[in-house]
Amino acid sequence: MLVTVEDGVATQVRGDPDHPTTAGVLCTKVSRYTERTYHKDRVLHPMKRVGRKGEGRFERISWDEALDTIAARLREIAARDPQAILPYSYAGTMGLVQGESMAARFFHKLGASLLDRTICASAGGAGYKYTIGSRIGTDLEQFQNAKLILIWGGNPIASNLHFWMRAQEAKRRGAKLIAIDPYRSLSAEKCHQHVALLPGTDAALALGMMHVLVRDGLLDTDYIARHTIGFDRLAERVAEWTPERTAEACGIMPAEVEQLGREYGETAKRGEAVAIRVNYGLQRVRGGGMAVRNIACLPALVGAWRHAAGGIQLSSSDGFPKNNAALQRPDLLPNRPRTINMSTIGDDLLRESTPAFGTRIEAVVVYNANPVAVAPESPKVAQGFAREDLFTVVLEHFQTDTADYADIVLPATTQLEHVDVHSAYGHNYMMANNAAVAPLGEARPNTEIFRLLAARMGFADTCFNESDDEIAAQAFRRDDPRAVQVDWESLKRKGWQKLNLPAAPFAEGGFATPSGKCEFYSERMLADGLDPLPTWIPPYESVASAPDLAKKYPLAMISPPARNFLNSTFVNVQSLRDTEGEPHLDMHPSDAAERGIADGSMVRIFNDRGSFVARARVTDRARQGLVVGLSIWWKKFASDGRNANEVTSQRLTDMGNAPTFYDVLVQVAKV
Ligand SMILES: Nc1nc2c(c(=O)[nH]1)N[C@H]1C(S)=C(S)[C@@H](COP(=O)(O)OP(=O)(O)OC[C@H]3O[C@@H](n4cnc5c(=O)[nH]c(N)nc54)[C@H](O)[C@@H]3O)O[C@H]1N2
Ligand SMILES: Nc1nc2c(c(=O)[nH]1)N[C@H]1C(S)=C(S)[C@@H](COP(=O)(O)OP(=O)(O)OC[C@H]3O[C@@H](n4cnc5c(=O)[nH]c(N)nc54)[C@H](O)[C@@H]3O)O[C@H]1N2
Ligand SMILES: [Mo]
């Protein structure tokens, strides 16, 4: 991102035209970054709460008062049990410096509870790793050379624009694009074909495709023999998954399963590149890890990895030689504290001290996150943050739904105002984030805030004095061949540097699994109590798997990101919110008619966990039986002060302990 600065003020941001992935293009929301940075509602000085928790009434205080108050309170709690203190952070910035560096050091030294950061990607990550070994795959910059691209559980026009540019280029060169998604998203409608399966049934679809590949001999037997293990047992397993059985599980036609399997296998057989961009939409259900694991088996079966443009990409994150030990200093931990899963923060804030749980959570320090809006089963999250005996500190740019519950709010800098270094989870470039302008008001980088707190707590280790540049210089291991020749000063000057990775990562096998092969059969899964072979784990909540619940709540609900929001970030930027309008619920005409709901009616969406209201959009974008509430709205911008997470559940996925945001049954009624 290039920033234009005039008289110390950032006036424009644009994509770097020289950066190959970015190619001069920013997505809609990030192109408004100056509007967001100079927003009249920016939190520009420390504040303490003067109203009730959640009410949002605050009063300005000095940095000294804020830091003294926090240090005194944390010291007092830590004297009883430091594990009663919990950091809570995630995607606000995923920078390696302003994310988990000084903050992690601080909480490690303190001996606070550890946070398991599962809210986004850990189910799919686990499933992918069992099969492929690490989260690397097809290079984003190769996709334009593929002949067939399956866009599986992702809406790249909204959430992965730079991949979409490559997919468009492939299309111009004659490739076919197929979207696999219960919803006709902005991206699905622009693909040649759209397979609208029921949520949570992707694992079954992959099994059905494998059935067709094996049955019809659409296999690369040489690749299978040399670079995979467990093929015979896999073949036996998928024999059961006829197109008929698959179609029934997925709520689609048997011919769709046949066609998908054949097209994938036949294109590969012709020697052309078949590529899969599997994304996170399909892993936010009970069997989400297994779904990604099954899909990750497909490329090896047809030898798609032989091509640089073939294979699969879930994430590029394990390609980066990050030095977490230097950044986060786990060696500072006094002993091994307990771990709290961020996806069950609602339940965990409400838990009393017990031998199994340990001590009750007495303080939460939130940075880079907005749990009151984004965490599942929001009524419990809000109830937890409303506890009078909980001490809450929030580092923020804005007075978010979470900040409303804080005792102390601290003003943080934005990306334009601080130094950082980034890895990525789509492309393969290390990136430097230079500060473009001075911090606004009294805002301070997260690192500086934790540095000041460390000093007040009396933490004397030299790592607490390191500058942001000194931390950034340690982010990537320079002895690692992937980061060849990168030192911080040159990265800062150039802005970005591509990792040194092979173009076709698994053309000759070399998977990072225990066997070194693509594991159709996984001993590790068996040891972890999972089915060692691909299987389908039905959703917790669906008409087929929970018929009694479905009598009361017959509609499946998903809440994927709206194009103009980044999770809950940017929701308060007027121009972007104006484009999204207000919270909507997309529902199929027959589901609407059954309930007397007209396009534009206000509806209430509810289940046993909670309810929220939205304006109905009657549209066949949502398949029958499915409702879609594009997200993540700030609660305070909704007419009822609630959002889609009122009805989501805290149950976790089959692997990776991740949330099941899209594994939800609801009923919808006209208000
Ligand atoms: N504009 C925008 N961009 C973003 C984000 C954002 O909030 N806004 N968030 C960023 C983050 S943190 C992430 S993790 C990524 C997420 O990126 P993606 O994983 O690509 O997420 P989405 O764009 O929501 O695409 C999910 C798609 O999956 C579909 N889906 C839902 N359930 C299922 C299912 O069971 N099976 C299948 N096959 N499809 C299903 C949804 O209808 C939706 O179209 O995007 C990043 N980019
Ligand atoms: N229903 C539903 N819920 C979901 C999802 C969904 O699809 N549906 N998606 C899930 C996913 S994929 C994710 S990743 C999570 C994301 O959830 P979060 O990680 O909570 O992400 P955001 O909602 O974007 O909130 C980030 C906050 O960090 C702040 N911030 C940004 N930069 C900085 C900084 O440098 N310093 C400080 N102190 N603060 C900063 C922003 O102002 C913003 O308020 O939400 C999850 N929740
Ligand atoms: Mo995410």
Side-chain angles (χ1 to χ4, degrees):
M1 185 165 90
L2 301 180
V3 187
T4 309
V5 180
E6 292 166 37
D7 298 329
V9 176
T11 53
Q12 195 200 11
V13 293
R14 63 202 159 92
D16 182 349
D18 296 331
H19 182 264
T21 293
T22 305
V25 178
L26 294 179
C27 61
T28 325
K29 56 202 184 299
V30 173
S31 67
R32 305 293 174 148
Y33 205 78
T34 52
E35 185 181 345
R36 182 177 188 277
T37 299
Y38 294 102
H39 196 296
K40 64 174 177 24
D41 298 339
R42 262 294 289 279
V43 172
L44 293 176
H45 39 73
M47 296 190 296
K48 72 171 179 204
R49 182 171 52 82
V50 292
R52 273 182 299 107
K53 290 202 175 193
E55 198 183 8
R57 286 204 295 129
F58 285 81
E59 189 176 278
R60 180 173 184 170
I61 54 173
S62 68
W63 267 107
D64 275 336
E65 182 183 346
L67 294 169
D68 288 341
T69 308
I70 296 165
R73 197 64 190 269
L74 294 186
R75 211 179 295 116
E76 174 233 326
I77 295 170
R80 286 196 302 277
D81 184 350
Q83 298 184 70
I85 300 166
L86 179 71
Y88 197 95
S89 69
Y90 201 68
T93 173
M94 308 206 83
L96 301 176
V97 177
Q98 302 305 335
E100 307 315 318
S101 71
M102 199 53 91
R105 295 172 183 184
F106 178 81
F107 291 109
H108 286 158
K109 180 77 183 176
L110 190 59
S113 286
L114 300 173
L115 184 73
D116 198 2
R117 293 181 170 79
T118 56
I119 205 156
C120 173
S122 64
Y128 194 84
K129 282 200 241 180
Y130 281 128
T131 312
I132 305 282
S134 71
R135 289 168 303 173
I136 59 173
T138 314
D139 184 345
L140 181 146
E141 288 172 6
Q142 293 288 344
F143 274 88
Q144 71 273 17
N145 298 319
K147 203 70 190 170
L148 173 68
I149 304 179
L150 306 186
I151 299 178
W152 204 323
N155 175 17
I157 291 184
S159 57
N160 196 351
L161 188 63
H162 300 106
F163 162 74
W164 180 251
M165 285 156 50
R166 301 278 165 173
Q168 287 298 98
E169 179 57 24
K171 194 175 168 186
R172 282 190 287 273
R173 298 182 188 180
K176 180 166 179 184
L177 310 184
I178 303 179
I180 303 174
D181 193 316
Y183 179 60
R184 199 167 75 244
S185 68
L186 293 172
S187 311
E189 73 183 356
K190 296 206 167 53
C191 291
H192 298 94
Q193 188 182 333
H194 174 206
V195 178
L197 76 186
L198 287 166
T201 65
D202 301 270
L205 182 59
L207 286 161
M209 286 175 70
M210 291 194 262
H211 173 96
V212 173
L213 296 173
V214 173
R215 184 197 67 196
D216 296 353
L218 295 168
L219 302 167
D220 184 333
T221 48
D222 174 61
Y223 192 91
I224 292 171
R226 289 198 290 137
H227 303 308
T228 73
I229 57 165
F231 175 74
D232 291 342
R233 279 182 282 198
L234 176 74
E236 212 175 291
R237 170 61 58 88
V238 302
E240 312 156 12
W241 283 93
T242 60
E244 291 69 30
R245 176 175 171 195
T246 305
E248 194 187 330
C250 300
I252 57 176
M253 305 302 287
E256 292 180 273
V257 183
E258 286 279 354
Q259 183 272 336
L260 252 187
R262 294 199 64 89
E263 182 139 15
Y264 184 74
E266 283 168 1
T267 310
K269 259 262 153 35
R270 283 199 303 272
E272 303 197 283
V274 292
I276 301 175
R277 182 58 166 100
V278 61
N279 226 309
Y280 292 105
L282 60 93
Q283 52 128 40
R284 308 197 193 290
V285 294
R286 181 187 186 183
M290 191 65 81
V292 173
R293 183 244 189 309
N294 293 6
I295 295 166
C297 291
L298 287 164
L301 281 174
V302 301
W305 290 116
R306 290 180 189 275
H307 295 267
I312 181 169
Q313 190 197 64
L314 172 71
S315 169
S316 62
S317 43
D318 286 341
F320 292 86
K322 281 176 240 171
N323 192 349
N324 285 335
L327 288 167
Q328 303 175 0
R329 298 293 305 271
D331 57 297
L332 294 170
L333 281 169
N335 42 42
R336 182 145 185 99
R338 67 160 169 207
T339 299
I340 299 285
N341 185 346
M342 71 187 305
S343 301
T344 53
I345 186 68
D347 279 344
D348 289 341
L349 283 178
L350 295 172
R351 260 186 245 284
E352 300 293 336
S353 301
T354 62
F357 178 64
T359 187
R360 183 164 218 226
I361 298 170
E362 294 182 54
V364 186
V365 181
V366 180
Y367 52 102
N368 300 337
N370 185 10
V372 172
V374 309
E377 204 175 355
S378 199
K380 289 208 176 145
V381 181
Q383 198 189 333
F385 275 103
R387 269 174 47 199
E388 276 308 326
D389 62 336
L390 182 74
F391 179 63
T392 303
V393 179
V394 176
L395 284 60
E396 252 302 347
H397 301 152
F398 292 104
Q399 193 64 37
T400 59
D401 291 329
T402 305
D404 284 349
Y405 288 87
D407 294 283
I408 307 272
V409 176
L410 299 174
T413 45
T414 69
Q415 251 179 288
L416 301 187
E417 301 153 63
H418 59 223
V419 167
D420 213 331
V421 57
H422 289 261
S423 60
Y425 57 104
H427 63 62
N428 291 329
Y429 294 82
M430 300 171 276
M431 293 165 293
N433 178 163
N434 294 301
V437 297
L440 268 62
E442 294 182 5
R444 285 179 159 149
N446 291 340
T447 42
E448 179 62 10
I449 296 173
F450 287 107
R451 224 178 256 121
L452 292 166
L453 279 174
R456 277 183 168 67
M457 300 294 286
F459 297 166
D461 310 67
T462 52
C463 71
F464 292 107
N465 296 324
E466 281 176 9
S467 68
D468 289 0
D469 278 280
E470 283 167 325
I471 299 171
Q474 300 168 57
F476 298 115
R477 285 192 311 270
R478 289 193 55 203
D479 55 355
D480 190 297
R482 294 171 296 179
V484 66
Q485 289 173 342
V486 167
D487 66 76
W488 174 234
E489 285 310 317
S490 59
L491 190 63
K492 262 182 109 160
R493 265 194 310 278
K494 191 175 171 204
W496 42 269
Q497 169 68 48
K498 193 164 192 179
L499 297 173
N500 183 22
L501 296 171
F506 306 120
E508 287 302 323
F511 294 91
T513 54
S515 64
K517 303 193 172 200
C518 175
E519 299 199 347
F520 299 143
Y521 181 93
S522 165
E523 293 284 355
R524 273 191 303 181
M525 292 180 78
L526 189 63
D528 292 345
L530 297 160
D531 192 327
L533 284 168
T535 186
W536 177 44
I537 301 165
Y540 292 112
E541 301 190 6
S542 73
V543 173
S545 61
D548 286 341
L549 187 69
K551 281 189 201 123
K552 279 200 309 195
Y553 307 121
L555 297 168
M557 186 193 89
I558 59 173
S559 50
R563 181 179 191 172
N564 294 282
F565 303 154
L566 174 62
N567 299 311
S568 75
T569 305
F570 294 98
V571 177
N572 62 330
V573 174
Q574 191 73 47
S575 64
L576 296 170
R577 195 168 73 255
D578 285 349
T579 314
E580 292 297 334
E582 61 185 318
H584 285 108
L585 189 79
D586 288 6
M587 67 192 301
H588 190 270
S590 62
D591 292 326
E594 231 175 79
R595 293 166 178 79
I597 294 166
D599 189 53
S601 319
M602 284 306 281
V603 294
R604 194 166 73 90
I605 302 97
F606 60 98
N607 60 20
D608 289 338
R609 291 177 290 265
S611 77
F612 69 105
V613 300
R615 192 171 297 283
R617 275 194 303 223
V618 177
T619 164
D620 65 359
R621 279 180 179 280
R623 57 161 292 159
Q624 212 173 337
L626 176 79
V627 294
V628 182
L630 298 179
S631 289
I632 303 172
W633 281 85
W634 282 22
K635 295 180 170 190
K636 61 175 85 171
F637 287 123
S639 60
D640 63 343
R642 296 177 185 174
N643 74 11
N645 278 321
E646 296 292 321
V647 297
T648 54
S649 93
Q650 292 182 77
R651 275 186 295 217
L652 302 175
T653 49
D654 54 343
M655 50 185 96
N657 297 315
T660 53
F661 288 114
Y662 305 164
D663 188 333
V664 177
L665 283 175
V666 296
Q667 180 57 290
V668 178
K670 211 167 140 173
V671 173

